[in-house]
Every structure is written in C-alpha cells, then in structure tokens.
C-alpha cells in the first residue's frame, strides 16, 4: 500500500470519529462488486450503517436533509476528468463538505485521479484495489490521512494543490535534479525506477527483472540518495513524470 501521508492523530482524536459516527455509502454500478464492498465494510465494523447504490444520482436522492454522522463515500466512477469532479461535487453538496470521498478510478486514467483530488477527495485508488487494502485506506482517511498509489502520484505531482491534500509532501526535487540525474542512471537502475513508478512492489520488480530482491533495494536506496527523496512515494512524485520524456543514455 502506498500511503501518501501519515494520519494526523491529534485531529483524529479531536474529531473522535468511531463506528457509531460513520455512515458508509458504496457507489458501484456492478451488483456483484457492490455486494462484495458492502460485505467488506460490514465485516471490518467501520460504520454504524452501510448503504449501496449503483449510481451517484441515486445516492444523492437518498441523502438525508441533515446528516448527523460522518459520511464516508466509496465512489467507483466510470467517468474521467470533469465527469469525476462533477460527481464528487454533487455528492459533497448532498452530504456536506465534511463528507469523505474515496474515488476509485481506472488505473491508466491519470486525469481522473487528478480531477478527484482537485474536487476534494482525500483518497484515490485504482478500481482493482484489493478489499483488505481498501479497508486500510478507509481507516486512514477516517483518521485524517490521505492516500494515493504510486501511479496516481505521478499525475498528481503536476496538479495544483488541493485543500484535502494539504499535508501531502509532493515537493519537487532540487532544482534541475530530474534532468541531471535520470540520464546518469544505469540501465538496471532505470528499469527498477520505471517499475516502481508503475506501482510494483520490490518482490515483483525482482521477479520481472530477474534480480534478487536485495539488489532491487540497493538500486532504490542509491537513487533515493542521489535525489534526496524521503520515501518511495516521494521518489515517484519527483521523477515519475520525467522518465518518459528523458531518453536513455546507456
């Protein structure tokens, strides 16, 4: 799981949100997936109630006049860009600006990820996310944190800051560093970095590149030292969007 910021524990304590305060809404057009999501939330005991809808419009119609809890909305959107932003905006108007929205988008749709964050979603994730990871993301969001996978961070790094992501560290690398550093990487270092930017864990990278997992870690530590990246996600945010634009030199 790629956690983009640590929960603000003091804020979580101050808000004192527990299962008795949270109302979860699952919006997923496919019934079988909708049922699986509802079951996962219920088994995790994250909320006092769980409702499900096939479309955002139906969830909006069902919104109470004065919500008395903390709405947490799982939105699996098949929209992109402005469409995602419009859905999130309509849901926040119906359930209040305090509603927490986790937007699930197609992994290849960078525009949808960026639009969701700009519209105020504190978490974005690919629509194929595992249920156990999704439950962890929900807990993180309820504690005041934000979440995005590596693939989304590449797109988000070039977007204007969103209030929901005030604590997210997407600081650029030192002046000129991406252009200076990427061409100096060895072939294997670049292979490892490119795989990391696609959201792959060390074990998968090692298997695909026929390397030992320890060798993958050595390559990543070396790149992080050169870029002064604070974490893997910070490294992706710093260099991911430049990789395709800068040709290999060796």
């Amino acid at each position: 799981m790629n956690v983009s910021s640590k929960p603000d524990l003091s804020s979580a304590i101050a808000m004192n949100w527990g299962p008795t305060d949270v109302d979860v809404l699952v919006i997923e057009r496919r019934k079988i997936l909708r049922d699986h999501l509802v079951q996962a939330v219920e088994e995790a005991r994250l909320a006092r109630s769980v409702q499900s809808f096939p479309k955002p419009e139906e969830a909006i119609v069902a919104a109470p006049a004065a919500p008395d809890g903390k709405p947490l909305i799982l939105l699996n959107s098949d929209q992109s860009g402005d469409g995602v932003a419009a859905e999130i905006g309509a849901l926040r108007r119906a359930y209040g600006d305090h509603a927490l929205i986790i937007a699930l988008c197609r992994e290849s749709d960078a525009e949808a990820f960026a639009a969701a964050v700009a519209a105020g979603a504190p978490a974005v994730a690919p629509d194929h996310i595992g249920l156990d990871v999704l439950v962890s993301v929900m807990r993180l969001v309820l504690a005041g944190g934000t979440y995005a996978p590596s693939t989304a961070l590449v797109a988000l790094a070039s977007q204007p800051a969103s209030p929901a992501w005030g604590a997210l560290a997407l600081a650029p690398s030192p002046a000129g560093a991406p252009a200076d550093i990427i061409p100096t990487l060895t072939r294997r270092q670049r292979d490892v970095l490119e795989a990391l930017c696609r959201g792959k864990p060390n074990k998968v990278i090692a298997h695909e590149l026929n390397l030992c997992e320890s060798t993958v870690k050595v390559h990543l530590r070396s790149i992080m030292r050169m870029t002064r990246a604070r974490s893997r996600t910070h490294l992706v945010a710093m260099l991911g969007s430049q990789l395709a634009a800068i040709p290999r030199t060796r």
Side-chain angles (χ1 to χ4, degrees):
M1 185 174 74
N2 300 301
V3 178
S4 57
S5 70
K6 295 181 180 179
D8 182 344
L9 297 181
S10 61
S11 296
I13 293 170
M15 291 181 287
N16 194 29
W17 298 330
T20 57
D21 305 306
V22 179
D23 298 307
V24 171
L25 286 78
V26 175
I27 302 175
E28 161 61 62
R29 71 183 188 282
R30 294 159 292 190
K31 185 178 186 306
I32 187 169
L33 294 181
R34 193 164 67 245
D35 291 345
H36 280 304
L37 288 169
V38 168
Q39 182 179 354
V41 174
E42 289 177 339
E43 290 179 352
R45 298 183 179 180
L46 291 174
R48 64 181 181 181
S49 69
V50 185
Q51 294 178 279
S52 65
F53 304 92
K55 299 178 181 179
E57 295 82 358
E58 295 185 24
I60 291 168
V61 170
D68 62 347
K70 187 67 178 180
L72 175 60
I73 303 173
L74 301 181
L75 170 64
N76 194 346
S77 178
D78 57 3
Q79 300 292 314
S80 182
D82 292 342
V84 175
E87 288 181 342
I88 293 174
L91 287 166
R92 294 184 74 191
R93 286 191 294 273
Y95 287 89
D97 287 338
H98 63 294
L100 300 172
I101 298 177
I102 299 175
L104 306 179
C105 309
R106 291 186 295 272
E107 185 173 29
S108 60
D109 196 341
E111 184 181 359
F113 283 128
V117 171
V124 292
D127 55 8
H128 58 73
I129 188 172
L131 292 177
D132 56 339
V133 178
L134 181 58
V135 168
S136 296
V137 172
M138 293 172 69
R139 294 187 192 279
L140 177 67
V141 169
L142 286 170
T146 55
Y147 173 90
S150 301
T151 48
L153 286 173
V154 173
L156 298 176
S158 61
Q159 299 299 313
S162 166
W165 291 70
L168 179 62
L170 284 179
S173 55
D180 293 341
I181 291 174
I182 291 179
T184 69
L185 300 178
T186 67
R187 179 176 62 86
R188 275 305 189 204
Q189 286 176 330
R190 180 152 181 169
D191 289 341
V192 169
L193 179 60
E194 288 175 345
L196 176 68
C197 288
R198 292 193 295 272
K200 297 183 178 181
N202 289 350
K203 185 174 293 187
V204 174
I205 295 173
H207 175 75
E208 291 186 349
L209 298 180
N210 195 27
L211 298 173
C212 296
E213 190 172 352
S214 59
T215 303
V216 172
K217 292 178 181 178
V218 168
H219 284 318
L220 288 175
R221 282 197 296 267
S222 178
I223 299 171
M224 289 175 70
R225 280 197 301 270
M226 287 189 287
T227 58
R228 290 182 274 175
R230 297 185 294 275
S231 66
R232 292 162 62 96
T233 51
H234 188 202
L235 180 63
V236 171
M238 292 168 71
L239 299 182
S241 59
Q242 285 83 12
L243 273 174
I246 299 178
R248 292 174 179 263
T249 58
R250 61 180 70 184

